[in-house]
Amino acid sequence: QAFASGKLKVLGEVTAQYAGLSISDPKYDPYLALAEEFDVPVAIHLGTMPAGTTFDPCCRTARAAFGHPETVEGALNKHPKLRVNLMHSGWPYIEEAEAMMMLYDNVNIDTGALSWLLPRPAFHDYLRRLVDAGFGKRVMFGSDHMYWPDGIGLAVEHVEAATFLTEEQKRDIFYNNAVAFY
């Protein structure tokens, strides 16, 4: 009902990785089918997790292996009209993120926490690689600020400081790409 009424406009942050699962696990099929049917984008946490996550009682089943962007491929093939955001750009799995973006036009990424957790040069290297690979129109701004409000300003600063980006590319990352995707 929330999808049908438009009350729910995005499904995310889906944290299957923290549950020790892939979004391609059959457990998620009913949700993905609804998201596909109602054209609701799905934002999936991918990439690494904070140190010690697998020792936290909340997340004993969490595994790094489920952070690989390739783990979404089964879901993408089962639900070909599904729009997916690979959160945190799937860092550090750049090759896998690029492969999913190359194969699936319905996949975008966001900068997420890596835009301020990584040292600026490392973030810039990652972002430059995505833009140089031709995915500049599918990179969206993200901050993952839920517990770290200072992260928003740092995330903005790190994108603004990317001298290899044009002003138009920065506007795309901060706004235009999300408008087109969402």
Side-chain angles (χ1 to χ4, degrees), residues 31-43:
Y31 304 101
L32 299 179
L34 280 173
E36 183 180 32
E37 178 183 345
F38 290 100
D39 194 29
V40 171
V42 178

Side-chain angles (χ1 to χ4, degrees), residues 82-111:
L82 190 66
R83 290 184 292 138
V84 172
N85 171 24
L86 307 180
M87 297 180 77
H88 314 293
S89 301
W91 185 86
Y93 310 112
I94 186 124
E95 289 87 7
E96 292 91 340
E98 289 174 325
M100 292 300 98
M101 293 180 77
M102 178 66 73
L103 287 167
Y104 301 98
D105 291 337
N106 50 333
V107 172
N108 277 34
I109 60 169
D110 71 36
T111 57

Side-chain angles (χ1 to χ4, degrees), residues 31-170:
Y31 304 101
L32 299 179
L34 280 173
E36 183 180 32
E37 178 183 345
F38 290 100
D39 194 29
V40 171
V42 178
I44 305 166
H45 179 283
L46 289 171
T48 192
M49 300 170 285
T53 297
T54 62
F55 301 111
D56 188 307
C58 78
C59 310
R60 296 292 298 152
T61 58
R63 296 294 177 264
F66 292 115
H68 283 263
E70 296 164 325
T71 63
V72 304
E73 192 164 23
L76 289 167
N77 278 285
K78 193 176 288 184
H79 306 282
K81 295 179 183 174
L82 190 66
R83 290 184 292 138
V84 172
N85 171 24
L86 307 180
M87 297 180 77
H88 314 293
S89 301
W91 185 86
Y93 310 112
I94 186 124
E95 289 87 7
E96 292 91 340
E98 289 174 325
M100 292 300 98
M101 293 180 77
M102 178 66 73
L103 287 167
Y104 301 98
D105 291 337
N106 50 333
V107 172
N108 277 34
I109 60 169
D110 71 36
T111 57
L114 73 114
S115 60
W116 58 274
L117 281 176
L118 290 180
R120 189 179 286 179
F123 169 64
H124 283 179
D125 287 346
Y126 202 88
L127 181 58
R128 181 190 328 254
R129 179 159 169 184
L130 290 165
V131 170
D132 287 350
F135 301 123
K137 294 285 187 188
R138 291 165 56 199
V139 176
M140 301 180 291
F141 176 76
S143 65
D144 203 27
H145 73 86
M146 61 192 165
Y147 298 113
W148 311 281
D150 294 339
I152 296 171
L154 291 171
V156 170
E157 286 175 26
H158 284 203
V159 173
E160 285 287 354
T163 57
F164 57 89
L165 293 175
T166 66
E167 289 304 312
E168 180 181 346
Q169 288 170 318
K170 290 176 187 177

